[in-house]
Amino acid sequence: MAHLGTGNRRRALAVPVGLALTASLAFLPSVAASAAPLGTTADASATATPDTSGPKLSYVANLTSYGSVKQAKKAIERAGGTVVIAYEQIGVVVAHSQNPGFAKQLRGQRSLFVSVGATRTAPLSVVQTDEEGSTQRLSDADAAKAAAQAEPGQEPLESNQWDLRAIKADQAHKINDGSRNVTVGVIDTGVDDTHPDLAANFSKGQSANCVGGVADTTEGSWRPYADGSDHGTHVAGTIAAPRNGVGISGVAPGVQVAAIKVSEPATSLFYTEAVVCAFMFAAEKGIEVTNNSYYVDPWLYNCKSDDDQKALVEALTRATQYSERKGVLSVASAGNSNHDLASDAIVDDTSPNDTTPVPRTIDPHVCLDVPTQLPGVVTVAATGDKGFKSYYSSYGLGVVDVTAPGGDKWQIPATPDANGRVLSTLPGGGYGYKQGTSMAGPHVAGVAALLKSRHPWASPAQLQLLLKVQATKTACPEKVYDATGVLVDAATCNSKWGQNSYDGYGMVDALKAVK
């Protein structure tokens, strides 16, 4: 799976209890009673000339509730670091340093810092996606074939959009397309806002490039790199391609879509500082829903027992909880590793993915796939046209909240193209098919936008509850397709608490959202 997407393990509750969900949790931890007084340090090297012999790395430093940004900046400079940006609202500072002992030195100042960690293992120079396989570009001949079979009232390529019909979005559009007062932020590889099937619904004023940790709102900064990924543009079309007689229709064709680019050039890796920036930007720009079809690099799972990874989880948790308090609902993909996120052990042989992976066995209860497994985030698994779990989709009882169409090449629909993947927009005005939990997430983000349009005063917690309550309940299937296209027993699916491990509370329903 491309690293785009996952979600944190939340306590499994009966649906009505969800009414008690709140986004007002404190985000700055208290300081231990044994902490040293302000201005002191447990590291004698703080007064020495900093070592600059190491590679230049990026770090996040998370302040205690007593620490100030002013104090943090001085401490960072003394340790041989340079402050990139400070998010005072959440007590997170992004810094660069070539001092190999930088993080250790700051961690010694326990009255000031809760945690400090490097966001990468590769030197600065150069986050990923939950897409399975490569893009299949739609040919002119196939586009003409689909247009010839379009029914009255359909978009030219809508006959190939089995995914819209799976969540009743086609029926929802006859009632309400969504409100232009609602914006979905696509935190991803960038969006081509010049695409004729995106331009009308694109919000430039809520778009930016967050690579490096600082929001750049220069015209076009949010677009994909010339040699970059088509992932974000595909996601955006699924959410909000307008019903304009061109190409496809999005799930919520009346809402706006914004792009917050977080992927590094050349590598398309998503690092913590960029993702923190994206959540903060979305919160301050009045975005109602964000779609997160990626996992934050370089770790597929971030273990709190590791000082660096612990700091990354802390910074991202603070950012997502701040955005939730500001009214943002975050939707994230469960991932394409076919992992059981509720199991006791998972083999992670892909991390770190920016240098040399070192195989390890992790417990997903304490080593989290982020942002998927962060508190308050809606975790989405993928299905195909037949309603079976997609062969690649990760899952987990009490972890997955809902499911949506992500595509599955083995589940063939009765459409003109007979393609089980998801059709959407591509940079340069084209269209193409992709599959992955990356494609499932934007369907849920679109339904959430329809809910926000219908219930403008609903909080993120209430929107999440509505997604679950309105979902079409499903039972564990007897069979599922494996990676080779063979039907096998669905032995890994189990049910409890009105959920099952493949689908959570069930398939999202766009028609109920507008009613």
Side-chain angles (χ1 to χ4, degrees):
M1 112 183 157
H3 87 214
L4 300 167
T6 26
N8 95 311
R9 179 172 176 77
R10 285 174 291 283
R11 181 178 56 178
L13 301 173
V15 172
V17 181
L19 289 170
L21 289 173
T22 176
S24 61
L25 297 174
F27 62 93
L28 290 177
S30 60
V31 180
S34 60
L38 286 176
T40 66
T41 176
D43 188 346
S45 65
T47 58
T49 301
D51 182 356
T52 58
S53 63
K56 187 176 184 181
L57 297 178
S58 180
Y59 296 83
V60 287
N62 304 305
L63 305 184
T64 66
S65 55
Y66 297 142
S68 72
V69 168
K70 183 177 180 180
Q71 291 170 318
K73 288 181 176 179
K74 290 182 178 179
I76 287 168
E77 290 170 358
R78 287 197 300 268
T82 302
V83 172
V84 176
I85 190 169
Y87 292 103
E88 296 192 53
Q89 309 97 311
I90 59 174
V92 174
V93 181
V94 177
H96 291 168
S97 179
Q98 288 183 259
N99 180 1
F102 179 77
K104 182 179 180 180
Q105 184 171 325
L106 294 187
R107 289 173 194 144
Q109 302 178 57
R110 292 173 295 169
S111 63
L112 186 54
F113 298 106
V114 172
S115 56
V116 181
T119 68
R120 62 191 73 201
T121 61
L124 277 165
S125 63
V126 222
V127 202
Q128 294 192 38
T129 64
D130 278 333
E131 170 193 343
E132 174 70 13
S134 58
T135 304
Q136 291 185 332
R137 198 170 188 90
L138 187 70
S139 68
D140 292 341
D142 284 339
K145 180 172 65 175
Q149 297 186 42
E151 297 178 1
Q154 284 189 329
E155 295 294 277
L157 303 180
E158 194 173 340
S159 57
N160 279 320
Q161 291 188 272
W162 62 269
D163 51 305
L164 292 186
R165 296 182 282 281
I167 61 171
K168 303 175 186 174
D170 56 328
Q171 298 178 53
H173 297 163
K174 297 175 182 178
I175 300 173
N176 191 340
D177 282 344
S179 169
R180 291 191 65 79
N181 293 325
V182 173
T183 301
V184 179
V186 176
I187 301 177
D188 213 294
T189 62
V191 174
D192 179 7
D193 58 301
T194 68
H195 194 293
D197 222 1
L198 291 174
N201 283 349
F202 192 82
S203 176
K204 292 185 177 182
Q206 294 170 295
S207 297
N209 178 353
C210 266
V211 176
V214 181
D216 173 12
T217 58
T218 304
E219 173 73 22
S221 62
W222 51 77
R223 294 174 190 147
Y225 302 112
D227 59 348
S229 171
D230 55 15
H231 190 274
T233 302
H234 194 279
V235 164
T238 297
I239 295 169
R243 300 189 65 81
N244 57 356
V246 176
I248 65 164
S249 171
V251 173
V255 308
Q256 295 194 85
V257 65
I260 308 177
K261 185 166 69 175
V262 292
S263 64
E264 298 263 327
T267 64
S268 287
L269 294 179
F270 296 62
Y271 287 117
T272 295
E273 62 270 28
V275 178
V276 168
C277 169
F279 282 117
M280 298 301 291
F281 183 82
E284 302 301 346
K285 289 296 182 177
I287 288 173
E288 285 78 14
V289 180
T290 64
N291 185 84
N292 303 271
S293 290
Y294 58 88
Y295 72 79
V296 179
D297 301 298
W299 308 98
L300 176 56
Y301 298 99
N302 288 266
C303 298
K304 296 181 181 180
S305 58
D306 177 274
D307 286 336
D308 287 312
Q309 295 167 45
K310 174 184 176 181
L312 308 188
V313 173
E314 175 71 20
L316 289 161
T317 298
R318 293 186 184 190
T320 55
Q321 290 188 333
Y322 177 79
S323 68
E324 184 179 2
R325 287 193 296 276
K326 296 285 282 187
V328 182
L329 174 68
S330 296
V331 175
S333 305
N336 298 341
S337 300
N338 194 27
H339 285 166
D340 183 353
L341 300 176
S343 66
D344 294 327
I346 292 173
V347 175
D348 173 16
D349 57 7
T350 64
S351 302
N353 64 0
D354 60 348
T355 47
T356 303
V358 179
R360 57 182 182 161
T361 299
I362 63 95
D363 178 352
H365 299 81
V366 294
C367 296
L368 306 181
D369 182 345
V370 293
T372 297
Q373 288 181 282
L374 296 180
V377 175
V378 179
T379 303
V380 184
T383 64
D385 175 69
K386 307 305 179 187
F388 299 152
K389 181 186 85 70
S390 299
Y391 67 88
Y392 52 78
S393 181
S394 290
Y395 55 97
L397 185 62
V399 178
V400 169
D401 292 310
V402 291
T403 192
D408 187 327
K409 63 185 179 182
W410 304 119
Q411 300 182 48
I412 309 301
T415 58
D417 280 359
N419 195 319
R421 299 168 177 84
V422 174
L423 179 64
S424 191
T425 47
L426 298 178
Y431 299 86
Y433 288 98
K434 288 180 177 289
Q435 63 178 9
T437 55
S438 278
M439 285 61 253
H443 285 86
V444 177
V447 174
L450 292 176
L451 281 169
K452 185 66 175 179
S453 300
R454 179 72 179 80
H455 308 282
W457 304 113
S459 69
Q462 289 169 329
L463 291 175
Q464 181 166 174
L465 178 62
L466 285 169
L467 283 170
K468 296 175 181 178
V469 170
Q470 294 181 356
T472 301
K473 309 305 176 189
T474 55
C476 281
E478 293 183 2
K479 302 282 186 178
V480 290
Y481 286 100
D482 67 10
T484 65
V486 175
L487 275 173
V488 297
D489 290 336
T492 55
C493 188
N494 50 83
S495 302
K496 194 175 181 180
W497 311 304
Q499 310 167 56
N500 74 61
S501 52
Y502 286 178
D503 306 316
Y505 286 94
M507 176 79 78
V508 292
D509 191 315
L511 182 58
K512 288 181 181 177
V514 298
K515 284 186 173 181

